[in-house]
Amino acid sequence: MKKLERLCCVLMMFLILIGCSSSTPQTHDVIFQDSIRIDLGDEDVNTAEYVKRIDSYPISGSSIDGNKIHVSNITMVCPSLKKGDLEKLGKQKLIYTIGDEKYTVEANIVDSVKPVIKVKDGSLTFEVGKMKGINNYYSVSDNYDASKDIKVKVKNIDKLNKNKTGTYKLVIKAWDTSGNTASKKLTVIIKDTKKEQEEQKEEERKKEEEKKKAEEEEKQREAERQQQQQQSQQTQAPSTNTNDNVSSYPATSNSSSQTQQPSSSTPVTRDYLFSQGYDMSSAPSACQSALMASGRSGSCTPLQDSNGIYLGMRLVLN
């Protein structure tokens, strides 16, 4: 019985020694980077870059060869991360080895990518009352979160009135569950095409009226200038005329300009018109000469049309 107990004790000690020998003690002093953070889905991670020092040897770029570090006679094998290892946020253990020795450090897989906001256009135009809800005109997505988990806020949406014409400046902001934010500007224009067309027609009508008014005013000013010119010429005409003056006037086929003397008992009107060849000087002279030659009382009066334009002189014999 005692032999059996001794045998069991020997076996237990042997198992304890085997267990102790399976856990290789760490003989090197390995210093890692503080707070290791790895971006979610990063495919270019080299874990060797997280080692700062092995024993008294600082690690530099020349010490790194792929996923291995060589300093002095020490070779450290660094863990290789696969794509699947970086698809979940949170803590991730990284195990480094020097021979049979293992050195473990903890990294944090983080999401630092902003959500993406897409709009159909930076500026949207709608007829009055035709715009739908603002969420119909943009979409959000993220490299990790589902769209339903992304928080969205539209700045100035409370000022947008789809039933009132105007230009509204909006800003769409989005947050993912990791706290990354993104923003996008959006301009919304509400217009009333029918009203704008009516206003344009009214504006064109007013411009046309102003144009016509300006043309009429210019005509009136031109008529006044001509009238002033004619009056100036009349004041310069000779006050007396002789029969020699009458003979110098152009002949005309108009019976009203014939020199036949009218009967003294009948009132007579005779015109000396510019259209018959008279001018501002000869018309008054011819009229005065005819009046004197008639031996009757009468008057010579300037003729004007409805616009005040002078046409000639009129002789009235009483």
Side-chain angles (χ1 to χ4, degrees):
M1 185 68 180
K2 290 182 177 180
K3 291 182 177 180
L4 181 61
E5 289 178 354
R6 290 175 182 174
L7 181 61
C8 290
C9 289
V10 172
L11 288 173
M12 289 179 66
M13 291 179 66
F14 179 74
L15 291 173
I16 291 171
L17 290 173
I18 292 175
C20 292
S21 62
S22 63
S23 178
T24 305
Q26 297 177 349
T27 60
H28 297 279
D29 182 19
V30 180
I31 305 299
F32 293 96
Q33 175 182 312
D34 296 334
S35 184
I36 299 174
R37 293 166 61 88
I38 302 175
D39 284 333
L40 181 75
D42 190 349
E43 298 180 357
D44 298 320
V45 177
N46 186 351
T47 57
E49 296 177 355
Y50 303 137
V51 181
K52 296 176 65 177
R53 182 169 59 83
I54 300 176
D55 293 339
S56 61
Y57 304 103
I59 306 304
S60 62
S62 60
S63 307
I64 299 174
D65 180 16
N67 71 326
K68 294 182 179 180
I69 298 175
H70 303 284
V71 288
S72 184
N73 61 344
I74 302 171
T75 297
M76 172 179 276
V77 179
C78 305
S80 297
L81 296 178
K82 300 177 183 179
K83 185 176 181 181
D85 297 331
L86 301 174
E87 291 182 350
K88 186 177 180 180
L89 299 176
K91 304 296 182 179
Q92 175 79 27
K93 288 186 177 181
L94 304 179
I95 300 175
Y96 296 76
T97 61
I98 300 176
D100 294 332
E101 301 174 15
K102 294 182 180 180
Y103 300 84
T104 303
V105 68
E106 195 172 64
N108 191 22
I109 310 303
V110 299
D111 175 17
S112 60
V113 179
K114 297 178 180 181
V116 177
I117 304 172
K118 292 183 178 180
V119 295
K120 294 181 179 179
D121 198 341
S123 178
L124 303 176
T125 302
F126 304 94
E127 288 293 323
V128 171
K130 298 297 183 180
M131 183 182 178
K132 299 179 182 178
I134 189 65
N135 59 336
N136 288 279
Y137 306 104
Y138 71 86
S139 63
V140 293
S141 60
D142 188 67
N143 65 320
Y144 185 76
D145 296 318
S147 297
K148 63 182 180 60
D149 297 324
I150 302 173
K151 295 181 180 180
V152 179
K153 181 178 179 180
V154 182
K155 185 179 179 181
N156 296 330
I157 190 63
D158 55 322
K159 298 178 181 179
L160 174 60
N161 186 346
K162 68 177 183 179
N163 297 313
K164 183 179 179 180
T165 59
T167 299
Y168 303 90
K169 302 289 186 178
L170 308 179
V171 179
I172 303 171
K173 291 187 175 182
W175 294 263
D176 63 15
T177 56
S178 297
N180 301 304
T181 63
S183 63
K184 199 85 168 181
K185 293 181 179 180
L186 177 62
T187 300
V188 177
I189 301 172
I190 306 297
K191 57 185 291 187
D192 188 338
T193 301
K194 184 177 180 180
K195 183 178 179 181
E196 289 177 0
Q197 290 175 346
E198 292 175 350
E199 290 177 348
Q200 184 178 359
K201 289 181 179 179
E202 179 64 18
E203 184 67 22
E204 291 175 352
R205 185 188 65 79
K206 290 181 178 179
K207 288 182 178 179
E208 186 64 25
E209 288 182 351
E210 291 175 357
K211 181 180 178 181
K212 290 181 178 179
K213 182 178 180 181
E215 290 176 349
E216 291 175 355
E217 290 177 349
E218 179 60 27
K219 288 181 179 179
Q220 181 65 29
R221 287 192 293 270
E222 180 63 24
E224 291 175 354
R225 285 194 294 268
Q226 291 184 5
Q227 182 177 356
Q228 292 174 358
Q229 182 180 5
Q230 291 170 357
Q231 290 176 345
S232 176
Q233 292 175 349
Q234 287 179 7
T235 58
Q236 297 175 3
S239 57
T240 58
N241 295 285
T242 63
N243 291 334
D244 293 337
N245 296 124
V246 178
S247 62
S248 64
Y249 299 144
T252 176
S253 59
N254 192 316
S255 60
S256 63
S257 63
Q258 299 299 317
T259 58
Q260 182 179 357
Q261 300 299 323
S263 171
S264 60
S265 61
T266 305
V268 174
T269 299
R270 183 179 301 162
D271 294 336
Y272 299 86
L273 306 176
F274 299 151
S275 60
Q276 297 172 346
Y278 292 99
D279 57 25
M280 294 297 295
S281 177
S282 60
S285 299
C287 183
Q288 289 291 335
S289 297
L291 176 59
M292 293 177 64
S294 68
R296 300 172 60 176
S297 63
S299 63
C300 287
T301 306
L303 287 176
Q304 293 176 283
D305 62 10
S306 59
N307 292 322
I309 304 299
Y310 282 90
L311 305 176
M313 298 293 291
R314 170 165 293 178
L315 171 62
V316 178
L317 299 176
N318 299 325

